Amino acid sequence: ERVVAETRATVVTIDASLADTDGISLARKLRSLNPDLGVVLLSAVSDDNLLYRALDAGLSAYVTKAAPIPSVLAAIRGGVRA
């Protein structure tokens, strides 16, 4: 959270499963600090429920870790908000 507040980050990638919280909750906190922040959620599994929750939370993209690198890069580029 501190890094987003102290930098001019335009997009971040967040793992869906974190040790002390979940990626969607963290994304909501980060977006409250910077509403223009693009957030790409990375997940080890393809989960429709997680996808819907991520989109409902306003995340920019949802990508599985098994996705090809060009797809991950496209999601990150697409997460940059103008």
Side-chain angles (χ1 to χ4, degrees):
E1 293 173 35
R2 179 182 53 81
V3 172
V4 170
E6 294 176 0
T7 67
R8 294 183 182 186
T10 56
V11 64
V12 295
T13 58
I14 299 176
D15 195 300
S17 299
L18 302 170
D20 56 348
T21 188
D22 66 273
I24 293 175
S25 296
L26 177 58
R28 286 178 195 222
K29 288 180 187 176
L30 296 177
R31 297 274 320 277
S32 71
L33 296 171
N34 180 353
D36 295 326
L37 182 67
V39 180
V40 177
L41 188 70
L42 298 173
S43 178
V45 296
S46 179
D47 179 340
D48 288 345
N49 185 43
L50 182 60
L51 168 63
Y52 298 134
R53 289 180 44 229
L55 294 175
D56 186 53
L59 277 66
S60 306
Y62 172 91
V63 181
T64 63
K65 293 178 182 178
I69 295 297
S71 297
V72 175
L73 293 175
I76 292 169
R77 287 185 189 110
V80 177
R81 297 171 184 239

